Amino acid sequence: MTPRPPLPPFTLETARAKVQAAEDAWNTRDPQKVALAYTEDSVWRNRDEFFTGRPEIVAFLTRKWERELDYALRKELWTYHDNRIAVHFQYECHDPTGHWYRSYGNELWEFDGDGLMARREASINDVPILEHERRIFGPRTP
């Protein structure tokens, strides 16, 4: 397996870099690309869904971005220790009927020694918004 820096144990700087790399990848909305950041047997909980492995991650992300259109995400480091990172995030998207949502959540991440995420647990809440209430537009600009 090819290492995926930054590698654990994390420092403040490397944890922030890992979070930004995740945000950047998810904002591509490319399930194949995003899945490469996870171990072959990565274990996920996303809302009320539980699944394991890259093929299931790709299938989940494909479904997600087919219904969450114009998805734009912001992640922020909450805390880190050794091989774990906690983040909070917001994203906005609209459904195929044009209804907009802002979703708020927290994630717990656990990494293997090669910097691949072996475990991801996400709790997420959705809030309906009007299009003019949007505040996240595409990937973050440096």
Side-chain angles (χ1 to χ4, degrees), residues 71-117:
Y71 174 95
L73 167 72
R74 297 293 183 270
K75 290 184 182 285
E76 299 294 334
L77 176 66
W78 192 331
T79 192
Y80 66 94
H81 178 73
D82 193 29
N83 69 330
R84 294 184 175 140
I85 294 176
V87 300
H88 59 98
F89 63 88
Q90 295 180 40
Y91 68 84
E92 294 176 350
C93 63
H94 65 86
D95 63 22
T97 66
H99 292 99
W100 282 90
Y101 298 90
R102 183 175 304 120
S103 299
Y104 298 91
N106 301 304
E107 292 176 307
L108 304 175
W109 300 343
E110 186 173 314
F111 295 87
D112 71 4
D114 287 325
L116 295 169
M117 196 181 301

Side-chain angles (χ1 to χ4, degrees), residues 36-49:
L36 294 175
Y38 301 90
T39 61
E40 293 285 345
D41 60 350
S42 187
V43 175
W44 279 39
R45 179 185 64 78
N46 194 89
R47 300 175 189 256
D48 61 349
E49 291 186 65

